[in-house]
Amino acid sequence: MARVLAVAPDLMFASRIEATLGAAGHDVQLASSIAEATQLEDVELLVVDLDREPADGVMGLGMPVLGFYAHLNTETREAAEAAGVDLVVPRSRMAREMPALVERLLA
């Protein structure tokens, strides 16, 4: 499976990402910021909390990006889509469909 990097400063949700994607067979690394994330190599997919990291800061890293945001924060969604984030979903959808969303981007 794929090596996934999750930038999610919320430790509860980061643990959920790690457990869910780990159970799906992915090697998941956690980072608390994009600055920390840029030091890792061989990452095939970036999962990022767009409420904590600006969308323009996650682009250009050479991998697909799955971004999630609080569903009421439409400005964040719009900014991420405008910046070119590959897939932008509300946090609730991320929690429900995480393995399928990752597979969609890795296909």
Side-chain angles (χ1 to χ4, degrees):
M1 287 294 183
R3 185 163 185 208
V4 177
L5 176 63
V7 179
D10 176 341
L11 294 178
M12 295 293 288
F13 203 71
S15 296
R16 186 172 189 177
I17 292 169
E18 184 175 37
T20 302
L21 294 182
H26 299 289
D27 176 19
V28 181
Q29 302 292 317
L30 299 176
S32 59
S33 70
I34 289 298
E36 182 181 333
T38 58
Q39 299 173 6
L40 298 174
E41 297 178 10
D42 300 325
V43 174
E44 297 171 69
L45 176 72
L46 177 64
V47 176
V48 63
D49 182 344
L50 295 169
D51 290 322
R52 306 281 176 108
E53 292 285 341
D56 57 352
V58 302
M59 300 312 299
L61 297 176
M63 68 196 81
V65 178
L66 168 57
F68 62 93
Y69 64 98
H71 75 279
L72 295 176
N73 197 345
T74 57
E75 290 177 9
T76 296
R77 177 185 48 84
E78 291 167 358
E81 290 171 347
V85 173
D86 297 289
L87 184 57
V88 182
V89 298
R91 182 183 303 264
S92 58
R93 182 173 175 202
M94 177 71 177
R96 282 190 322 270
E97 303 174 25
M98 194 180 316
L101 295 170
V102 166
E103 292 306 318
R104 176 176 163 188
L105 284 174
L106 292 173

